[in-house]
Amino acid sequence: MEFIKNLLILTFGVIFLIIVFRLITKKQVFFTSFYVKENKIKNLNLNSNILKALKKSGFLKIKESNNSFSAITYPSIWSFSEIIQIDKNKIDEENVLVTIKSKCFFPLQIFDWGKNKRNCEKFIKNLTL
């Protein structure tokens, strides 16, 4: 019984420290680490350009549905894998707002060591080439 009590105290202590850390660093209070970036892009052949950029970025299992795309990354020493979600919203006739979200695949991965941000930046670089 004492072991269970100590385990619960330790678990809640770790959760409390994680929440405090995320509040101090001004990150959202979620357990799964993620990064979101928005970019305004011209609407010329956007769907095919997004597909090309996803492939050029090395993302896998690319899926397209309505105004969004999804893919995953290879596992690395930094993370198990990430899920890439790309949504597009029309601003006007010429421009579209593209929202890129990279989220860790493992739901309890608290730190991404910058991998989610690098995924978003790599995709944007390949999209604008």
Side-chain angles (χ1 to χ4, degrees), residues 30-48:
F30 295 115
F31 285 112
T32 305
S33 190
F34 67 93
Y35 183 81
V36 177
K37 181 147 179 118
E38 293 182 336
N39 222 9
K40 185 176 161 183
I41 308 248
K42 296 283 184 195
N43 197 14
L44 300 171
N45 298 324
L46 187 59
N47 283 357
S48 65

Side-chain angles (χ1 to χ4, degrees), residues 18-20 22-23 27-31:
I18 291 168
I19 291 170
V20 168
R22 291 210 172 239
L23 290 173
K27 290 191 173 202
Q28 294 188 15
V29 185
F30 295 115
F31 285 112

Side-chain angles (χ1 to χ4, degrees), residues 9-21 29 31:
I9 290 171
L10 178 66
T11 302
F12 285 114
V14 169
I15 291 170
F16 176 76
L17 289 175
I18 291 168
I19 291 170
V20 168
F21 171 78
V29 185
F31 285 112

Side-chain angles (χ1 to χ4, degrees), residues 61-79:
K61 296 186 180 181
I62 299 168
K63 295 180 184 173
E64 178 183 0
S65 64
N66 296 334
N67 289 329
S68 67
F69 298 81
S70 65
I72 61 171
T73 64
Y74 284 106
S76 70
I77 61 169
W78 302 112
S79 69

